[in-house]
Amino acid sequence: MGKELFRGRYVWSSTTPTVAIVNAIAGIENVESTELPATLDTHLYDHVDPEALDTLVTTSSDPELSFVVDDYRVEIDGNQLSITPDADR
């Protein structure tokens, strides 16, 4: 596992996972969240279904999942979001 670039705790009923992920990666990239698709040359929905992600995380009592967005590994474990560099790249 690589160096952790971001870690945050969320109440998923207040902040959707998709918003948290986009804002966190935008912060790492030092851009506004609206500029992130142009910066990464990709969208979150190219990597995961945003509606399915939000539904899965907000309806699960203890969600645990991970996936890759561009060069970042995104992990959700319960109410925690962490982002590290993707070791496979």
Side-chain angles (χ1 to χ4, degrees):
M1 180 200 264
K3 174 186 162 201
E4 193 167 70
L5 302 171
F6 176 86
R7 178 180 294 264
R9 291 192 180 279
Y10 293 90
V11 175
W12 297 123
S13 60
S14 299
T15 304
T16 63
T18 54
V19 168
I21 292 164
V22 168
N23 287 340
I25 294 175
I28 293 167
E29 291 287 332
N30 200 30
V31 298
E32 293 294 322
S33 59
T34 56
E35 298 171 11
L36 191 59
T39 300
L40 297 181
D41 196 30
T42 190
H43 292 87
L44 181 60
Y45 60 75
D46 293 329
H47 304 276
V48 65
D49 180 329
E51 187 175 330
L53 173 65
D54 287 346
T55 300
L56 175 69
V57 173
T58 59
T59 60
S60 176
S61 62
D62 192 23
E64 195 172 321
L65 59 106
S66 68
F67 56 93
V68 174
V69 175
D70 201 45
D71 292 332
Y72 301 107
R73 173 155 298 283
V74 175
E75 296 183 29
I76 293 177
D77 187 0
N79 66 348
Q80 189 159 303
L81 167 66
S82 61
I83 300 176
T84 57
D86 181 29
D88 295 335
R89 297 216 177 211

